[in-house]
Amino acid sequence: MPAFSQFTSDQVWQLVSYIRSLAGTAVASERVGGDPAAGKAVFEGRGQCLSCHTVNGQGQPVGPDLSAAGNGSAQALEAAIVNPNQPPAALGGGRGPRRGPPTTLTVKTADGHEYRGVLKSEDVFSLQMVDATGQLHLIDKANLAEVRVEMKSLMPDDYARRLTAPEIQNVVAYLKTLTGRDLSTPLAVSTPGGLTSERIANAQAEPQNWLSYWGDLQGRH
């Protein structure tokens, strides 16, 4: 089976969620302790989770959409909250909202702009990333000056100190109620930029991914 390294983290998560849905409802129907209503209040309140995550179109699309987080195990959900930088294998066999190694991308363009966030997708010509404020950026690879990758999550790693154990349990109980995306409430995201017909016609001359492009830049200096 191929490694599917061309998939983004979100695409891998979507695939995992689909595969998990074929296995039945054992994880989704898992009984957990805690108060879902109180957990929702923490999630949307002092936990500030909607500043980085979306649930049914509400929030900021920096991290994963948690609309179907309940399809993961309670153990995996709690682990993702208290230690977002741990490897995926530690999250209950890959179940839950984490989708691959936690990474943070910092991109600097030739005109001096710098963006720090997560990679959402890329093609031959450009990469799409969401910065820490939830703003989507379409960046032309021809204008890249520097790319830095940090093997850590943008998600704060101090929730075990910021929240009490009962509060974390309540948040997990709330997340377990989220078993599917409500497609009637789409998240509107505008994507600036575009391509000329000449660049499309000469696509093979473009770098194939941002890592190889950064290698090309390094080789020129």
Side-chain angles (χ1 to χ4, degrees):
M1 182 175 178
F4 296 113
S5 59
Q6 75 274 21
F7 286 0
T8 66
S9 293
D10 280 349
Q11 289 171 328
V12 171
W13 174 72
Q14 290 164 2
L15 180 60
V16 168
S17 295
Y18 170 67
I19 294 173
R20 291 293 306 167
S21 73
L22 300 179
T25 60
V27 173
S29 61
E30 177 185 16
R31 298 185 66 180
V32 298
D35 182 343
K40 184 175 187 290
V42 172
F43 184 90
E44 297 178 350
R46 72 191 201 89
Q48 299 182 326
C49 303
L50 288 178
S51 65
C52 287
H53 296 283
T54 54
V55 173
N56 290 324
Q58 303 300 310
Q60 295 293 342
V62 181
D65 185 336
L66 298 182
S67 302
N71 294 320
S73 71
Q75 179 183 7
L77 292 169
E78 181 176 353
I81 293 170
V82 300
N83 188 3
N85 294 314
Q86 65 185 314
L91 297 177
R95 294 174 294 183
R98 291 288 307 126
R99 274 94 43 207
T103 56
T104 297
L105 190 68
T106 301
V107 169
K108 190 172 183 178
T109 59
D111 58 4
H113 289 88
E114 184 170 293
Y115 307 98
R116 186 171 185 268
V118 294
L119 180 70
K120 289 299 182 179
S121 65
E122 68 170 324
D123 54 37
V124 172
F125 306 98
S126 63
L127 62 85
Q128 291 185 24
M129 65 178 294
V130 175
D131 66 21
T133 69
Q135 180 67 42
L136 178 65
H137 301 277
L138 176 62
I139 301 174
D140 193 324
K141 289 180 179 178
N143 293 328
L144 285 176
E146 183 179 355
V147 177
R148 299 193 305 272
V149 179
E150 301 172 58
M151 298 307 293
K152 64 176 293 184
S153 175
L154 274 176
M155 180 173 171
D157 59 3
D158 63 348
Y159 276 113
R161 299 186 300 275
R162 190 187 306 183
L163 303 177
T164 66
E167 285 176 327
I168 292 175
Q169 186 176 33
N170 289 340
V171 171
V172 171
Y174 164 62
L175 292 174
K176 286 295 295 180
T177 68
L178 306 176
T179 57
R181 177 76 163 86
D182 180 2
L183 297 180
S184 67
T185 56
L187 179 67
V189 178
S190 61
T191 305
L195 294 171
T196 64
S197 58
E198 289 79 11
R199 288 190 67 188
I200 295 174
N202 294 287
Q204 291 189 357
E206 301 281 341
Q208 295 304 300
N209 57 60
W210 58 268
L211 285 176
S212 66
Y213 186 78
W214 179 235
D216 291 342
L217 287 177
Q218 294 288 74
R220 296 175 198 168
H221 298 291

